[in-house]
Structures are given as C-alpha cells and as structure tokens.
Amino acid sequence: MITRIVAVAALIPAMVGTASGVASAQAEPKAATAVVTLTYDASQAGQWAAAITQGVQNWNSAVHNVRLQAANSAGSANFVYKATSGWPQTTLGPIVPGGSRGQVQLGQEAVNEGYDVTRIAAHETGHILGLLDHYSGPCSELMSGHGPGTACLNAKPNAAEAAQVDRNYAGRAAAVRPERQQIVIDIWSPSASTAQR
C-alpha cells in the first residue's frame, strides 16, 4: 500500500507538469498576416479626387492583405490616377511594390454616359488589384462595371471580389503576376457589349 501511495505521489508532480506543459504548448496566436501596402498618386486626377478617396476607402474596408494609401511623393507611387477625356483604362494587376508601376485613367466618356464617378474609380482600382471585368454580373458586383446600367451606384466590392484580392496579395506577394502588363479599356456604354483589351 505504501508503495502505491509513493508511486501516486511521484506521479502527481509529473501530471501537474504535463498539465502546465499542455497550456504552454498550445498554439500561439497566429501572427497577423503581413499586409502589402500599395501607394497611389492622385495629383493628376482633378475632379476625381473625392471619388478616388471613397473608392480607396471602400477597398480598404473590404480587404485584409493589401492596403491602399496616398504616396508621400508622386515619384514613389506604385500606381497613379489620371483624369482623361476618353474611356477609363487601367493597368491590369495585381500591382505589387517593387514591380512595374500601374496607371488608372479615369475617362470622362463614362461620366458623359451617366455612370457614377465613385463606381468608376472603385471599379478601375479593382483592375489594379488584379480583378477582371464581369459585365454580366449584377449591380452588387463592382466588377460588373457598366453591365447593370447607369442606375447602378454600387461602388463597393462584394465578398467574392474582396476574397480574390486577398488571395492575390496573400503572403506579401501577388499570387497572380501577369507576365507582361496588360491594359484593360472599359467602354462604359450601354451599347458596348464587351471591353476592348
């Protein structure tokens, strides 16, 4: 009997040590995913400034792996916004720091057709982040662009679009890097059935 008591007494510290070891061996909280910061220059965007600010805010609220922010100087930006008189066109990303610079041309033609400036700015920013057009999509899909018509004012990406951008920027690098830069030309016109590429 004494032998059993001694054996149990010897096991108690081992069991307490194991129990406390389990607590310390639990998985550490996951470190926050590294966020890719993309900088932009809107100094050439003129009357589009408020639309760009809102579009950027919409993207920053929806995604986790990339953050858009104004550059400290024009020459240091990863991409630029420019006001133009033609149709909107954008470098197809995902644009990454240290890679080729991108450009968003915010064309007045789309505004003349009656499309919302914030939707246009946010949609074109989606191309910078690596998203393609999906004109047959509903108004709730930002990348449906002109598809739903001029009554569509939605300038926010939906959950699927945000998730794709997060995948594009997972692990601090764009998962899908185009071999060469492509420009997406969006013709925001009810009579246009597809975008020129």
Side-chain angles (χ1 to χ4, degrees):
M1 179 75 170
I2 293 178
T3 306
R4 280 192 210 167
I5 294 173
V6 171
V8 170
L11 284 175
I12 290 174
M15 290 170 55
V16 170
T18 302
S20 66
V22 168
S24 64
Q26 288 180 351
E28 298 275 329
K30 283 189 176 180
T33 303
V35 175
V36 175
T37 300
L38 287 184
T39 58
Y40 65 88
D41 169 23
S43 63
Q44 301 172 59
Q47 74 276 9
W48 292 85
I52 292 167
T53 299
Q54 185 60 59
V56 164
Q57 183 179 14
N58 292 351
W59 276 109
N60 283 342
S61 296
V63 296
H64 307 287
N65 292 341
V66 62
R67 175 139 184 92
L68 304 172
Q69 70 181 37
N72 293 329
S73 65
S76 68
N78 300 118
F79 68 98
V80 298
Y81 290 101
K82 292 184 178 182
T84 66
S85 59
W87 292 105
Q89 59 183 345
T90 304
T91 306
L92 179 61
I95 298 297
V96 293
S100 298
R101 288 179 50 159
Q103 186 175 108
V104 177
Q105 293 187 18
L106 298 166
Q108 186 62 36
E109 289 285 341
V111 177
N112 295 346
E113 290 283 334
Y115 291 94
D116 180 68
V117 293
T118 305
R119 181 170 169 82
I120 295 167
H123 172 94
E124 298 304 324
T125 303
H127 290 315
I128 285 287
L129 299 173
L131 298 181
L132 293 170
D133 291 311
H134 186 238
Y135 294 137
S136 62
C139 179
S140 60
E141 189 176 308
L142 179 60
M143 299 313 290
S144 64
H146 66 74
T150 58
C152 178
L153 303 179
N154 174 47
K156 295 181 179 181
N158 66 19
E161 292 166 324
Q164 181 59 56
V165 168
D166 277 335
R167 283 190 296 275
N168 288 350
Y169 287 93
R172 292 192 58 90
V176 182
R177 289 188 188 201
E179 291 181 19
R180 60 184 174 80
Q181 281 197 328
Q182 296 178 343
I183 304 298
V184 176
I185 301 173
D186 286 315
I187 300 180
W188 289 66
S189 173
S191 60
S193 58
T194 59
Q196 299 175 8
R197 301 208 184 207

